Every structure is written in C-alpha cells, then in structure tokens.
Amino acid sequence: MDPSGSSSEGPGGKPLARPQKPGPWPPRIEPFFSNNDHNPRELKSWARRTGFNPNHSGETASVVSDRDAADEQTPARDLDLERGIRRRGDGVPRKPEIEPVAGRGRTKRGVEISPMVPGPGAGPAARSEKEKRKVGVEPPAVGLKDERREAGEETPLRIKSDEPEGNGHGNGAAAISLAKADEDSRKEAGKDEREVEIDFFSDGQEPEDISGYKAPSGFRAGVTENPGLVPLIFYGIQHFLSMAGSLVFIPLIMVPTMGGTDEETATVISTMLLVSGITTIMHSYFGSRLPLVQGSSFVYLAPALVIINSEEFRNLSENKFKHIMRELQGAILVGSFFQAVLGYSGLMSLLLRLINPVVVAPTVAVVGLTFFSYGFPQAGSCMEISIPLILLVLIFTLYLRRISLFGNRIFLIYAVPLSVAIVWAYAFFLTAGGAYNYKGCSSNIPSSNILSDRCRRHEITMKRCRTDVSNAWRAAAWVRVPYPFQWGFPTFHFRTSLIMVIVSLVASVDSVGTYHATSLLVNLSPPTPGVVSRGIGLEGFASILAGLWGTGTGSTTITENMHTIDVTRVASRKALEFGASLLILFSFVGKIGALLASIPLALAASVLCFTWALIVALGLSTLQYTQTASSRNIIIVGFTLFISFSIPAYFQQYEPNSSLILPSYLVPYGAASNGPVHTSSEGFNFALNGLLSLNMVVALFVAFILDNTVPGSRQERGVYIWSDSNRVDTDSSSLEPYSLPAKVRPCFRWAKWVGL
C-alpha cells in the first residue's frame, strides 16, 4: 500500500515494480484540456474533423494516427504521461483510446492518477502540438463541465491497460480514460472532488442547437439558409453573372462551325438559358441538392466538334446546321439515357469505389487543356480587344481581388462580366471610329463572294473585331419560347452514340469531383454513394432535356461552380433557384439571346482562355485530398497528362481527305473519319478513332487503370475522404442537407440506394 492509499500489489501478492525515474508515485499528469468554456457547435465540428466518436454506451474511439498503429511492428514503447512523449519499454504497444466511463469501479487493472499542478522546474505548462499528437490528444478547444471546483483539487484520472500481464512499469500503451466519479459515492467516502466531463452531445439542454447545419465561417449564406428577399435576389443574380462565360460562350464556338446563322446562334443561346434554369432547379430538389449550377459543359464540346467535322457533314452546304444538330441530339439522348441508368440503377455507387482524386484530377484538368489550340489562336485574330480583355481579367482576379465595395469583392466576383462590358464598349468605339473600315470591303458579304484579294486579307479582322457584324439583334423576335424538337426529329447512329456514351462517363467523373470538393467547401460531409448516384442520375435526365430541346451539348454540373461559391461566399440553394428562375424568364426574351450572340468572336475566345485555365486549376486542386508528395501519385498524374496529349496527337496527324480546307484549330477534331483504326465496321472505326483523339477520354482511362492497379494506401490515394461512407466522423446532421424533400422521397422508393 503506497502513501496515497492505492494498492501497489499485483496478482499473487507480488509488489508491482515502480519506474526508475524521479517524481511522485503514482505519476501525476496535467489536465488534457484547458479549463475553459467553449461553444458546443465547435465541439461537434471538432469531433467530426478528428474522428472522435462520443458514445454513451461505453464504446471507445481511437484517437491515434495510422503512423502510431504502424509502431506495432517496432520495439515496445510506453507513454510518459507527465511529458506526453513515448519512451522505450518492454511491452507491445497498442492504440491509446479515450473512453468516457461512469465511475472508478470499472477497471481491469487500474491505477488512480491525479493530475498535478505544474510547479517550479516542471517545464512549460503547455505542450507542443507535436507532443500532444503523440499521445493522441487533439489540442482544439474541448468544453469541460465544472460543477464544483476547490483550490488544489484536480480530477482523478486512471490509466486502463488491456495488456495481459505487465512488468509493472506500465509497459504497453495504456488506454487513457477520463473518469467521472459518482457524486453520491464521493459523499459517502467523505471526499469533495471536482467533477469533470467531456460533453460533446449532451442529452440535456444546450445553450444553442447543434443538430442543424450551419454555414462555415465567413460564408454569408449556407446551403439550407434563406438570406431574405433582397439578399436572395442579389445573390442569385451574382452567382450566374460570375459564371456568364461558362453559360453562353459554347454556342459562339459551335454554331458558326456548324454553318449556323447569327439568328440560329441567338436561338441556341436562349435554349441553353432555358435548359440550364430548369435543370439547376431540378438538381437543387431532386439531385445531389448541392448549390451547383447545371448547364452546357465543356466536356461535351470536344466530342461535338468531332461529330461536326466528320466527313459526312464536312462538305454539306444546304441545311448543314440542322443536319448536324439533329445528329448531336440523337447522340446526346443515347448518352444521357446511359448516364441516367448508371445513376438510378445503383451502378454508380459501385463505380465510385474506383473513382478517387488521382483519377479525377488529371481528367478534369485535361478538359481545359484540350482547347489550347483554339483559345489564343482565335483571340489573336483581333489583338486590339483580346489582349486588353485578358489583362483586365487577370488584373481583376489577381491584383484587385482584395478590394471590397459595400462588403463585396466586386472585381473578383464579377471579373468576367465587368471585363467583357468594358472591352465590348471599347470595341464598339473602335468600330464606330472606323478602325476596321477598309475601302471597297464589306463585312456583310459572304466569304465565298469576296473577290478582292485585299478584302480577303481583312475578312477575318472585320468578322471577329467589329461589333456590328452580327445581324442577330435585327433578326431576333422580342418574345420566343424554345420548344422540343425545334430543329427537327433527332437522328440516331451507332458511331456518334457510342462516342457520347463514353463522354457521359467523363462528365460523371467530372461531376463526382465537383460534388466532393463543393461539399467540403460548404462545410458538409462528403456525399454518400447514394447521393452521388442520385445526382448523376438526375444529370442524365437533364441531358435528355438538352437533347430534346437541341442545345448541341449535354447538361451537367459546371466545374466552375467551386470557384464561384468560393469567391462569392454564398452557398444558398434558395439564391441559386432564384437565379435559375431568372434564366428561364430571360430565355423567353429573344433579344437577350441576340445580344449575347453579337459578342465578337475574338472577345469570346479571350474569355474562354481564362475559363479553360480555371478548369485546369480546379481539376488539379483535387489532388489536395491525396498525398501530393507521393512518388506514386506524381508518376500517375504526370504520365496521364503527357500521354493524354501524345496519343491523340498520333491520331490527329492523319489529315482529313476533303477538298474543303479546315481551319487549323479544327484539324484535331477531324481524325475520326481518317484515323489509323481500320476494321470491317466503318461505324466502329469512326467511334474508336474519334474517342482516341479526345484527350479527356484517354486521360480518364489511363488514370483509372493506373490508380486502381498500382498499390497505394488509402491516405495516399485520398480514398478515406471520398469512398468511405462509414467514417466515424459522419453524423446525421451533416448529411441532412442532402435529404430529399419529404413529399418527393416516396417517389424514390424504387431506388433505395439514391435516397436519404
């Protein structure tokens, strides 16, 4: 029996050996957590982040890292509880665990230890972060419930070891438990001690509700919050204005390439606005329910250009635009149906186990890099407006990003629309001032009718720089409602349908990355496989609408959503739904589509240089969820990026057999008809040559195969963040925003894997 009254005898009456070190026995440790009050919401957030599992049933939660677990293969160590560091010993270590217990009586073999108050010579009162992590104690604030405090009295703690029989030195890692002594038993024993309790999810009344979702610090509105009528209108308009380049500039590239007129360009833009508004609202209610804008994605632009430049349509002159549009509609409908089945059948939930950040990052990055041959070559056709626009966007987003007016960083948020408005006005004055007037030359004369060689040299400058070239404003009606099959009934062919089926897989992988990155940005747990499947299924249905209405591309989650939410600090679904409603209204006004269609092509290409670069950066940022210094990941990502350009370059070197000379920026998309693959099936030849000439398709398959065949830990690959739906830090409150509306939930009973 030692002076403190605790038994020091082991089994068989043999005395327990004491450690050979100075200091009192039993050893005394300082409190694990500071004795301060803290916000219960912070406690719950800390528990989610660190994996602490606060059970009332006596279950334990591990609080050591995987690196500590690896020490099981090394010589034994024990815990120096006074200094919080490991020391050499003779036992076999185990993971220390923090376990709330009801009292002191429950122990296999325990030694009562009272935390000591550091005195002279005891060293610093606060341990370094490194030392704290070694014993598995998280330093962030933890609330302590202090019912009675008296000077000089501390909370008794005990060390519980699950080791069979030690040597008396505390060998083996002990399980450290905070003991809450029973008040009645203490009174009976005549003791008056302080009672301490770690209370994360108390059943009693808390100062504030911690069960609901709250937006992260610095956000003006969270996912489920309604900021009020006036902020709602402002935030909704702001969100879509900041994404203007992604929403309306695809038709400016596609329609002229398809042989469409200015009026048809305006109609396609209005149709895109309508489909984007409808599908965004649908996704907000029935999809992943994250605040993400749906619209025409650049993922579909490259395969659309492959189909547009196929040998079948290359030399068409009559109704070329409608023929190509109907072909695109049929291919998109088939690919969209496949995507919807992939999501709602539950197959996406199985595929998610194989889709990790190392796969998503290079795939999304290559989507932006694909158009490097189009960006500046088109913008450079009119340096007078392209260079100022690119410089303005960079100045606004980088050098003036911290300037705030009325609480809004207007230059960062509205970089694209502000730059476009300024340079467009500048281009108008250049046009009005005669900067692009050439004697005897007219921009309204078709290229085939220009006879003068001097006028031919200035043709590109006139068509891409002047602001009065487009006649869309004069031809468009004030009110026009886009409707299904407005271009005619879709046509279906195996070769184009197969291309769009594979491209829908790329679009799904792109969306998976956006879902996870956005959920972490807005302080939600990553979506479960069921939520992701539901979102992908809804995107498939949204693309079916795009195919019926005839936008020329599928409708999917726009990657730039992440950047928009980050810079606006608004994640409200209500604001997004309001902005989407405005898009639907604007689509009925034909003059709005005509105004956007009259943007000079060089100006649009300049904006897309920034937009595509942003997609590259957002794709590569996905690697932050992996161990970026890992040689495994470095080699996989680097090789994927290189080979995704090298293989398509091999296929693109086969020049098209046509009397019509393609522009240089369209040559890479003409390989489908003349590639090196030759089999007995012409349709299969076209599809395979076309797919292997697409950089993003090659990137997806190479990264997918390498990441799932090269060995790597879960932390190294980022799997523990994206694919583990049974993490201890996942709780119902963080998943509540993903839940379907109560009235809608019964409609998804047939697909239990997509509902919450």
Side-chain angles (χ1 to χ4, degrees):
M1 185 75 68
D2 63 13
S4 65
S6 299
S7 175
S8 60
E9 294 183 354
K14 296 181 180 181
L16 295 175
R18 297 184 179 180
Q20 300 300 321
K21 65 176 182 177
W25 180 262
R28 300 167 63 85
I29 63 171
E30 57 191 32
F32 281 20
F33 309 106
S34 58
N35 190 21
N36 298 320
D37 294 329
H38 299 280
N39 190 329
R41 190 179 308 284
E42 295 179 0
L43 305 184
K44 183 176 181 182
S45 176
W46 173 83
R48 274 204 309 269
R49 294 195 312 271
T50 59
F52 185 83
N53 190 10
N55 296 287
H56 295 286
S57 61
E59 297 176 1
T60 59
S62 174
V63 292
V64 294
S65 65
D66 292 337
R67 183 176 298 177
D68 294 331
D71 289 342
E72 294 182 3
Q73 306 300 326
T74 64
R77 301 181 179 183
D78 69 349
L79 294 177
D80 185 338
L81 296 176
E82 287 188 357
R83 300 183 58 192
I85 59 176
R86 291 179 177 235
R87 301 179 58 192
R88 293 284 178 180
D90 300 320
V92 180
R94 295 196 182 191
K95 292 185 179 181
E97 299 176 345
I98 293 181
E99 174 183 326
V101 296
R104 288 193 247 179
R106 226 175 21 146
T107 150
K108 296 179 182 177
R109 163 187 155 210
V111 179
E112 299 265 344
I113 300 176
S114 298
M116 70 176 184
V117 178
R127 293 174 297 180
S128 67
E129 296 292 326
K130 183 177 180 180
E131 292 173 337
K132 291 181 180 181
R133 285 193 295 268
K134 286 183 179 180
V135 294
V137 178
E138 182 71 13
V142 177
L144 301 180
K145 186 174 291 183
D146 189 355
E147 295 185 357
R148 290 182 303 185
R149 175 185 300 177
E150 293 186 6
E153 293 183 348
E154 298 292 344
T155 305
L157 304 175
R158 64 179 171 80
I159 301 179
K160 183 185 71 175
S161 175
D162 292 335
E163 288 294 312
E165 186 89 33
N167 59 4
H169 291 273
N171 293 337
I176 304 173
S177 300
L178 297 179
K180 177 183 176 182
D182 183 80
E183 185 175 354
D184 295 335
S185 63
R186 288 203 312 270
K187 288 182 178 179
E188 293 175 2
K191 298 180 180 179
D192 189 9
E193 299 176 342
R194 188 179 64 167
E195 181 180 344
V196 178
E197 176 185 340
I198 297 181
D199 193 0
F200 287 98
F201 307 101
S202 173
D203 292 333
Q205 185 176 2
E206 293 290 352
E208 55 181 320
D209 178 26
I210 63 174
S211 61
Y213 160 80
K214 288 296 182 181
S217 175
F219 268 65
R220 301 178 180 181
V223 175
T224 59
E225 295 175 358
N226 187 345
L229 180 59
V230 175
L232 187 72
I233 298 174
F234 175 74
Y235 293 154
I237 297 175
Q238 167 186 271
H239 195 100
F240 284 89
L241 275 179
S242 63
M243 299 183 65
S246 304
L247 289 172
V248 301
F249 283 170
I250 289 181
L252 297 180
I253 299 175
M254 284 184 54
V255 177
T257 306
M258 297 165 64
T261 63
D262 296 331
E263 184 179 3
E264 289 168 334
T265 302
T267 302
V268 173
I269 291 177
S270 296
T271 305
M272 281 189 171
L273 294 179
L274 174 64
V275 173
S276 178
I278 294 175
T279 55
T280 298
I281 294 175
M282 291 175 59
H283 193 85
S284 178
Y285 281 99
F286 315 124
S288 71
R289 306 214 68 197
L290 286 166
L292 299 173
V293 174
Q294 307 295 299
S296 296
S297 172
F298 291 109
V299 173
Y300 288 93
L301 178 57
L305 291 175
V306 168
I307 296 174
I308 292 170
N309 289 281
S310 64
E311 192 171 0
E312 178 184 353
F313 303 117
R314 199 175 296 155
N315 298 320
L316 279 180
S317 57
E318 186 177 354
N319 292 326
K320 178 179 179 179
F321 170 77
K322 291 186 177 181
H323 277 93
I324 297 177
M325 180 60 79
R326 290 198 294 267
E327 184 72 30
L328 289 174
Q329 285 182 263
I332 291 170
L333 286 173
V334 175
S336 304
F337 180 78
F338 171 80
Q339 188 178 20
V341 171
L342 183 68
Y344 288 130
S345 67
L347 293 176
M348 194 65 198
S349 298
L350 303 177
L351 192 60
L352 279 176
R353 302 175 184 177
L354 307 176
I355 300 176
N356 300 305
V358 179
V359 177
V360 173
T363 303
V364 177
V366 168
V367 170
L369 290 172
T370 296
F371 303 103
F372 76 95
S373 63
Y374 182 92
F376 197 77
Q378 289 294 297
S381 61
C382 188
M383 292 288 190
E384 299 90 333
I385 63 176
S386 61
I387 296 299
L389 179 58
I390 293 175
L391 291 177
L392 268 182
V393 173
L394 293 178
I395 291 172
F396 288 164
T397 55
L398 297 177
Y399 298 99
L400 302 181
R401 70 185 189 277
R402 299 187 184 278
I403 296 179
S404 178
L405 296 178
F406 306 106
N408 295 281
R409 295 183 178 181
I410 59 172
F411 293 109
L412 179 60
I413 297 174
Y414 305 109
V416 170
L418 276 178
S419 302
V420 169
I422 293 172
V423 176
W424 199 359
Y426 166 66
F428 174 80
F429 286 114
L430 287 179
T431 302
Y436 306 116
N437 291 339
Y438 302 98
K439 186 176 180 181
C441 303
S442 173
S443 59
N444 295 323
I445 299 177
S447 303
S448 58
N449 295 335
I450 297 178
L451 302 179
S452 171
D453 292 337
R454 185 175 61 86
C455 291
R456 287 182 182 276
R457 290 196 302 269
H458 299 302
E459 176 200 0
I460 294 179
T461 301
M462 290 188 295
K463 288 186 176 298
R464 296 181 181 177
C465 299
R466 296 182 64 95
T467 57
D468 60 353
V469 173
S470 174
N471 62 355
W473 180 267
R474 296 185 293 271
W478 276 100
V479 178
R480 184 188 184 280
V481 179
Y483 55 91
F485 306 117
Q486 56 188 336
W487 312 115
F489 193 79
T491 57
F492 299 89
H493 291 95
F494 168 77
R495 58 179 190 171
T496 55
S497 298
L498 180 59
I499 290 177
M500 283 302 178
V501 166
I502 302 301
V503 170
S504 68
L505 283 175
V506 180
S508 300
V509 171
D510 186 358
S511 297
V512 168
T514 305
Y515 290 171
H516 285 85
T518 303
S519 66
L520 297 176
L521 181 63
V522 300
N523 200 30
L524 288 175
S525 293
T528 63
V531 173
V532 174
S533 296
R534 193 176 69 206
I536 297 301
L538 195 280
E539 287 188 15
F541 182 76
S543 293
I544 290 177
L545 297 183
L548 294 176
W549 261 261
T551 61
T553 64
S555 181
T556 185
T557 298
I558 298 178
T559 310
E560 300 88 301
N561 272 289
M562 294 182 287
H563 174 72
T564 301
I565 294 174
D566 188 35
V567 299
T568 60
R569 314 305 288 173
V570 176
S572 172
R573 285 195 300 242
K574 296 294 184 183
L576 210 66
E577 292 161 7
F578 179 82
S581 301
L582 290 181
L583 284 189
I584 296 174
L585 293 178
F586 292 159
S587 69
F588 299 153
V589 182
K591 292 295 185 182
I592 292 180
L595 179 66
L596 296 173
S598 62
I599 296 177
L601 184 59
L603 190 151
S606 303
V607 173
L608 290 174
C609 286
F610 171 78
T611 303
W612 288 328
L614 181 62
I615 293 175
V616 175
L618 292 173
L620 294 178
S621 70
T622 309
L623 292 174
Q624 65 182 302
Y625 307 116
T626 70
Q627 293 180 356
T628 53
S630 165
S631 61
R632 172 193 183 274
N633 295 344
I634 290 174
I635 294 174
I636 290 177
V637 173
F639 179 78
T640 300
L641 291 176
F642 173 80
I643 206 67
S644 65
F645 282 88
S646 188
I647 290 179
Y650 168 73
F651 281 80
Q652 293 165 6
Q653 70 181 351
Y654 289 85
E655 297 182 359
N657 299 322
S658 173
S659 58
L660 179 65
I661 300 176
L662 289 176
S664 59
Y665 58 86
L666 292 179
V667 170
Y669 306 105
S673 300
N674 307 96
V677 176
H678 297 286
T679 66
S680 58
S681 173
E682 292 186 3
F684 182 77
N685 293 342
F686 179 91
L688 194 57
N689 284 321
L691 289 172
L692 292 177
S693 68
L694 295 176
N695 309 85
M696 55 188 176
V697 173
V698 176
L700 172 61
F701 282 101
V702 172
F704 183 86
I705 293 172
L706 292 179
D707 185 53
N708 289 283
T709 56
V710 178
S713 66
R714 294 171 61 83
Q715 288 80 5
E716 193 175 21
R717 302 172 61 198
V719 180
Y720 70 102
I721 293 181
W722 283 24
S723 301
D724 188 359
S725 59
N726 297 317
R727 295 180 309 273
V728 295
D729 60 337
T730 301
D731 61 276
S732 58
S733 64
S734 63
L735 295 176
E736 183 62 29
Y738 296 115
S739 299
L740 290 169
K743 295 182 179 179
V744 178
R745 205 170 301 165
C747 300
F748 287 86
R749 287 177 180 172
W750 57 274
K752 296 181 180 179
W753 47 86
V754 302
L756 269 181

